[in-house]
Amino acid sequence: MSNNTQEISLSSDKGSFLWRFSKKFQFAADKVIPDSFVFCVILTLVIFVFGMVAGSSPIDLINGWYGKIWAMNGFAFQMSLMVIVCGAAAKSPQISAGLEKISKIAKTRNMAIVMLLIFGLASSVINWSFSLILTPIFARQLSKNVKGLHFPLLIAAGYSTMLLGQSWCPSASAYALLAGKDHFLVDQLGVMPQSMTTYNPINTILFFIIAAVTIGIVILTKAPADEVVSFEGDLDAAVAEEKTVESEMTPADKMNNNKFIMFLLGIAGLIVIATSIFSKGFLNSLNFNFVIFMFLVLNVFLYKTPTKFTGAFSDSIKSAAPVMIQFPFYSGIMGLMAVSGLATIVANAMISIATPNTMPLFAYLSASVVNLFVPSQGGQWIIQGPILVEAGKSVGAHMPTIVNAFILGDEATNLIQPLYVIPALSLVGMKLKSVWGFMAFIWFVWAIVTSVGLLILPSIL
């Protein structure tokens, strides 16, 4: 009797309530969401049509699109290089062995999830690019060693921690800009130090609430055993070595396999890194180029010879192709938004009915909508910042909270608009549709928690 009962229980297992709820979002992803490049093209066409409805001519929109399509070339190259250098490091025997040891600390599914998400949050608060690349690498190792981890959910949740960390991170574009003495809104706002924006009590409390809720819902979103998808890639895909007998090596072969050349290069890189950290401090040194350079130097020591070093990069270049292709198109979308004035229309429509108490919520909602089409915090602040500042001041709202709400909204809808998840997907060989439903599910929860927090916290703090 007990055996039959157990069999019935196992066969009827449909996963937790939150798993079943999350599948409603995933169903839409399976049926509707195309590959990330097609998603980008469709988004471009949608904005083009909206631009014409708003009164812009097709020729103006096309010229605006082309005028901005190359504006993110530098950023696209940086992101591509980040994918390449981090991918090469992750495939090295040394890093793979280290991650395997760390992942073995997790003995249960829940412990693995907590480790991953805390790692994602902590690394994002230091630097978002660290978190974007290292969190999926850690997730795939955890998925290999711990039973019951649904890998697409891990990738979506890990990515969400990178986004959430930006709301409490000193290097977030808007926070860093407003703390400067010559930002373009200084006459209206003055200088806003990070103690006023990033680390004010409302933002800090809301950050930790959302973080705790995120960890909780991921733990409770438990798939049934027959629906768990584990990482299926090769974690040990080290670069193949061509072994050459020493006596048969030509002078060229000896130079190509010379460890001393790489050692000198690595020492020079360490000197640059140390000089920057000692003169500026670690956090102040962490701009995007510096992070890439640190991984570049790390690879010099990991691969030790020129042949292995270049071979590792050649092996990782394929992962960067989606970034190189899609970033110019997203830049073009920003051009369409600027020419059509849609960002201003959307923002003005939402904040026109705001009050001092509801203004942070409307700032959050308007930033969320505009970010779908202007996926750059700095670029979005240039477009939307003056509108929010004018509206906030006109109703007497608390301006630091308006800035916090803007950044929370900007980051939240990066869970729906897939630009920044592309490098992470490339590293683990996944398609957008595999994770988009879980990303949308997390966004839905965030939207509820953040909206309630922005309405309640300012009135009690």
Side-chain angles (χ1 to χ4, degrees), residues 68-253:
K68 281 286 188 180
I69 199 170
W70 308 122
M72 292 176 70
N73 274 3
F75 186 42
F77 178 76
Q78 287 176 314
M79 289 291 283
S80 301
L81 195 53
M82 174 65 78
V83 170
I84 294 168
V85 297
C86 290
K91 291 180 180 180
S92 69
Q94 303 94 318
I95 298 295
S96 295
L99 287 175
E100 184 174 7
K101 288 181 180 179
I102 295 172
S103 66
K104 286 181 178 178
I105 297 173
K107 303 300 182 183
T108 65
R109 172 187 176 273
N110 291 355
M111 188 175 179
I113 290 171
V114 171
M115 282 178 60
L116 176 71
L117 299 192
I118 289 179
F119 172 81
L121 288 166
S123 57
S124 180
V125 168
I126 294 173
N127 184 265
W128 68 271
S129 53
F130 268 135
S131 186
L132 177 65
I133 300 300
L134 294 184
T135 303
I137 292 172
F138 189 31
R140 67 186 190 179
Q141 190 67 57
L142 287 167
S143 181
K144 176 186 175 184
N145 292 332
V146 180
K147 301 289 185 182
L149 291 173
H150 189 69
F151 190 63
L153 175 60
L154 284 188
I155 294 300
Y159 173 63
S160 78
T161 61
M162 183 279 287
L163 300 175
L164 179 58
Q166 293 310 289
S167 69
W168 206 60
C169 175
S171 61
S173 299
Y175 290 148
L177 180 70
L178 291 171
K181 296 180 180 179
D182 54 355
H183 67 85
F184 69 96
L185 292 173
V186 69
D187 291 339
Q188 292 90 342
L189 292 175
V191 175
M192 300 182 74
Q194 304 234 12
S195 58
M196 181 185 296
T197 55
T198 314
Y199 303 115
N200 73 61
I202 293 173
N203 194 49
T204 298
I205 292 172
L206 195 51
F207 167 78
F208 282 102
I209 289 174
I210 299 172
V213 169
T214 302
I215 294 172
I217 63 170
V218 176
I219 288 174
L220 294 173
T221 305
K222 188 173 183 179
D226 61 343
E227 293 187 45
V228 172
V229 176
S230 300
F231 176 70
E232 297 179 351
D234 184 4
L235 288 173
D236 303 314
V239 180
E241 298 182 33
E242 292 185 9
K243 295 185 178 180
T244 307
V245 179
E246 182 74 24
S247 60
E248 298 176 357
M249 292 178 69
T250 65
D253 290 332

